[in-house]
Amino acid sequence: MTNTIRSGARKIKQPFCSRCCSFFSGVQLKDYGGIGGLKTINVRSMGTNHTAVFYDGVQLGNAQNGQVDLGKFSLDNIEEIELYNGQKSSIFQSAKGFASANSLYLKSKQPDFSDGTTQKVRASLKGGSFGLIDPSLLWQSKISNNVYSSLSAEYKNANGKYKFRSTNGVYDTTAVRKDGDIEAKRLELGLNGMLSDSSTWKVKLYGYKDNQGLPGAVVNNVFSFSQRMWNKNFFAQSSYEKNVGKYSLLATAKYASDNLRYLDPDRVTVNGLLENNFHLQEIYVSLANKLKITNYWDVVLSADYQRNDLNADLYRFSYPVRNTILTALATQFHFAKFDIQANLLSTLKYDKTQSGPADVDRNELTPTVMVSWQPFDQKEFRLRSFYKSIFRMPTFNDLYYTYYGFIVLKPEYTKQYDLGFTYIKGYDNKVLSQFSIQADAYYNNVKNKIVAVPGNNQARWSMQNLGQVEIKGIDVNIQSAWQLTNTISFTSGLTYTYQKAIDSDHASPSYKDLIPYTPIHSGSFLASATYKNLSMNYSFIYIGERYNQSTNSIYNYVQPWYTHDLALHYNVKVNRKEVRFTAEVNNLLNQDYEVITNFPMPGRYYRFGLNYNY
């Protein structure tokens, strides 16, 4: 399994690890603590809502709050992870693929029966700290020469308890995190096939259900929290792809249903304990049409329709419904040494509500231009750049959440500029078998940032567009592979990000201050060594100093943190079946740290795994 970093036409692969997203340059993985804590991704400090997450080519939507919890997807069923700055380098995609500042693509394991088998089974059992018990099963079957299936199931149970250090600057204490327990079940069914005309189709059913505690912010010597959350998520998606001469068609459809129940026993209303229930539904269809005009010129027209509606048992709820129509016209010229891609995206958005006002209709046009150039005869070195103008709509929670009250909001507008290069060189019969380096300088501007601000009292807040954010940065990624002997190999990877994300609104009291949780310096180092059946992985993550509020005062200062992780893997064959033993030690030096202030992370913890491939 691999991670893949892409921007425009670049592609670099690196070894997979349990915290894979943290090893992409320019990426912050926000973790609210423990195995049951929310996990979201933020690319180049533009905000979580500016990164679209796709699963097997279809976006995982959340019109309610715009955030996708990556913890709901199992790494046991992931084959490849791709991160695109800007957008995917192929223009043959849905209009959704053009409609975000950055994209994270998760690809599930695809069946491969090229060895002549018709059945493949992979059983896995993991356990370790936090009382973790995590069995999973992947069963792939060749139904016929043109149809195969894949079934993936997982059960996860953990008490989530771990010790952490709490200090107020004068007194230190050791407490136990008790509110991160989770019981989760996941089931996925995939069908893939090919028709007689060589067209292909895919169907995926996904179901997820959990019951979990909600880790709260540890302040004022409050160390335990009674709030709980229940999630029920289901989606069914399908795609169909057909090529006829110079014409290609990609059709996609999806239905999703998300149910969320929230309980707060510490708050009592006239109806009893505070309990809220939400039900979000989504219907999505897409048609992408590609015409190969010449050997070097392609044109794509994509059109998407999406309908979202949200129900809740909140007092005076608006019951919003959103209809969105996306249309993208894209063209690409690809020559031996030069590639240019351009597209224009049209976004039409219509909201309606059963009670109260609705957001105004939106009609936006946003362009993108991406260029890649090989200046020399050697193919190893390539320059690239892109400009992208995009925006993100206010979510249902931004506009219609009862606690805040409705207010007219403008979208967040983002302009991205990027210039970089890639150098990849392979060496035959050398100790150093491959070396690559890629670097990017970028500038992002985010206008009309959506934030929650207090009103006349702390009990009633409102959402407003405030200010402007400027982000300047440099990303560097270096990879190498070494074949030391016939039985010993070694790979390494180094990432570094220098970034200044500041409030550039002259009227703001925090003008020129860093925006919250954006370190100036961050980076990671990966190393992997293999000897016969034994392999070892080491990783190091560093996040520099930052601030947890807009005002960069000493009271809002957040210390740097770093972790060391180590994993050992041993592969052996038993009755011609592959067996893999894994042992992990995470946070090896038992560092005390917080990704988000007042949400303490675990110290040293362990995980053990056993995989059986049949």
Side-chain angles (χ1 to χ4, degrees), residues 236-249:
Q237 66 186 44
S238 63
S239 63
Y240 172 79
E241 186 171 348
K242 180 178 178 64
N243 299 308
V244 181
K246 295 184 177 182
Y247 171 75
S248 300
L249 169 69

Side-chain angles (χ1 to χ4, degrees), residues 53 58-64 66-68 96 254 256 258 280 282 306 308:
V53 181
V58 183
Q59 185 176 356
L60 299 167
N62 190 333
Q64 182 177 355
Q67 297 185 349
V68 175
K96 278 275 191 178
K254 178 180 180 180
D258 298 325
L280 178 67
E282 175 184 312
Q306 180 174 313
N308 297 98

Side-chain angles (χ1 to χ4, degrees), residues 533-585:
N533 296 334
L534 181 66
S535 61
M536 181 181 70
N537 295 330
Y538 164 79
S539 64
F540 170 79
I541 300 174
Y542 173 81
I543 302 296
E545 59 185 7
R546 57 218 192 281
Y547 296 88
N548 59 29
Q549 299 291 332
S550 299
T551 302
N552 293 176
S553 68
I554 189 174
Y555 304 103
N556 301 325
Y557 176 80
V558 182
Q559 292 184 346
W561 65 266
Y562 59 89
T563 60
H564 303 264
D565 303 321
L566 189 66
L568 294 174
H569 309 276
Y570 182 72
N571 298 289
V572 65
K573 285 193 174 183
V574 179
N575 295 329
R576 299 182 180 180
K577 305 301 187 294
E578 295 181 1
V579 179
R580 180 182 178 92
F581 299 92
T582 301
E584 298 179 29
V585 183

Side-chain angles (χ1 to χ4, degrees), residues 46-50 64-67 322 359 362 391-400 404-405 407-414 446-453 461-469 515-516 550:
M46 284 182 287
T48 298
N49 290 352
H50 283 284
Q64 182 177 355
N65 58 30
Q67 297 185 349
R322 172 170 294 176
D359 187 41
R362 303 289 181 183
F391 68 100
R392 77 104 171 165
M393 285 299 307
T395 66
F396 283 164
N397 279 2
D398 291 337
L399 293 169
Y400 306 113
Y404 297 129
I407 190 170
V408 176
L409 292 174
K410 298 178 182 178
E412 286 185 5
Y413 293 90
T414 300
V446 183
K447 184 180 179 182
N448 294 330
K449 194 74 174 173
I450 299 173
V451 297
V453 296
W461 292 51
S462 64
M463 307 303 295
Q464 294 184 14
N465 292 113
L466 291 179
Q468 188 164 294
V469 173
I515 64 175
S550 299

Side-chain angles (χ1 to χ4, degrees), residues 493-543:
L494 176 68
T495 69
Y496 169 74
T497 295
Y498 170 83
Q499 180 179 259
K500 292 200 72 173
I502 63 171
D503 182 349
S504 59
D505 183 0
H506 292 270
S508 172
S510 55
Y511 175 59
K512 288 191 176 182
D513 281 354
L514 296 174
I515 64 175
Y517 294 109
T518 57
I520 295 179
H521 303 282
S522 62
S524 65
F525 174 74
L526 286 171
S528 176
T530 300
Y531 172 69
K532 294 183 178 179
N533 296 334
L534 181 66
S535 61
M536 181 181 70
N537 295 330
Y538 164 79
S539 64
F540 170 79
I541 300 174
Y542 173 81
I543 302 296

Side-chain angles (χ1 to χ4, degrees), residues 92-348:
F92 188 39
Q93 59 180 326
S94 65
K96 278 275 191 178
F98 301 98
S100 60
N102 306 283
S103 301
L104 181 70
Y105 282 78
L106 309 178
K107 181 181 178 182
S108 63
K109 288 184 180 295
Q110 301 300 305
D112 180 13
F113 301 105
S114 57
D115 56 2
T117 60
T118 59
Q119 304 286 329
K120 290 189 176 182
V121 176
R122 179 187 180 188
S124 174
L125 176 62
K126 293 189 290 291
S129 301
F130 322 122
L132 174 66
I133 297 295
D134 185 5
S136 64
L137 176 70
L138 176 63
W139 176 29
Q140 298 172 327
S141 177
K142 185 177 182 180
I143 300 175
S144 69
N145 289 333
N146 295 322
V147 179
Y148 56 87
S149 66
S150 177
L151 185 145
S152 176
E154 182 181 21
Y155 173 80
K156 182 189 297 182
N157 190 299
N159 57 40
K161 295 180 180 179
Y162 58 88
K163 294 181 180 180
F164 66 93
R165 176 192 175 196
S166 178
T167 178
N168 60 6
V170 179
Y171 300 102
D172 285 356
T173 185
T174 299
V176 178
R177 193 69 145 160
K178 300 178 181 179
D179 43 36
D181 65 291
I182 185 171
E183 181 182 26
K185 304 167 186 175
R186 177 188 57 84
L187 180 64
E188 297 181 45
L189 174 64
L191 290 173
N192 297 52
M194 178 181 294
L195 301 179
S196 57
D197 58 357
S198 298
S199 58
T200 60
W201 57 270
K202 297 179 181 179
V203 176
K204 176 175 283 293
L205 302 177
Y206 173 93
Y208 176 88
K209 181 180 180 181
D210 72 20
N211 172 8
Q212 64 181 94
L214 291 179
V218 178
V219 293
N220 298 325
N221 292 322
V222 177
F223 300 119
S224 62
F225 303 86
S226 58
Q227 293 81 8
R228 298 201 65 81
M229 181 170 65
W230 292 261
N231 286 286
K232 292 182 181 179
N233 307 112
F234 168 80
F235 67 75
Q237 66 186 44
S238 63
S239 63
Y240 172 79
E241 186 171 348
K242 180 178 178 64
N243 299 308
V244 181
K246 295 184 177 182
Y247 171 75
S248 300
L249 169 69
L250 175 62
T252 306
K254 178 180 180 180
Y255 169 76
S257 174
D258 298 325
N259 289 275
L260 168 64
R261 176 190 172 203
Y262 170 76
L263 177 66
D264 186 353
D266 294 334
R267 295 183 62 185
V268 180
T269 68
V270 293
N271 298 320
L273 301 180
L274 177 64
E275 180 178 349
N276 298 137
N277 293 274
F278 302 89
H279 182 208
L280 178 67
Q281 294 187 97
E282 175 184 312
I283 297 174
Y284 170 75
V285 292
S286 172
L287 286 176
N289 307 270
K290 185 177 79 169
L291 182 62
K292 190 176 184 64
I293 298 179
T294 68
N295 291 332
Y296 56 84
W297 184 18
D298 298 331
V299 175
V300 169
L301 177 63
S302 301
D304 296 3
Y305 168 75
Q306 180 174 313
R307 183 184 188 275
N308 297 98
D309 66 81
L310 178 63
N311 293 327
D313 56 2
L314 297 175
Y315 174 65
R316 297 178 64 182
F317 192 62
S318 299
Y319 300 98
V321 176
R322 172 170 294 176
N323 292 276
T324 307
I325 300 174
L326 301 172
T327 306
L329 179 61
T331 185
Q332 185 172 16
F333 294 90
H334 41 87
F335 304 98
K337 294 185 178 182
F338 185 76
D339 188 283
I340 183 169
Q341 171 186 333
N343 66 265
L344 183 64
L345 175 68
S346 168
T347 304
L348 303 176

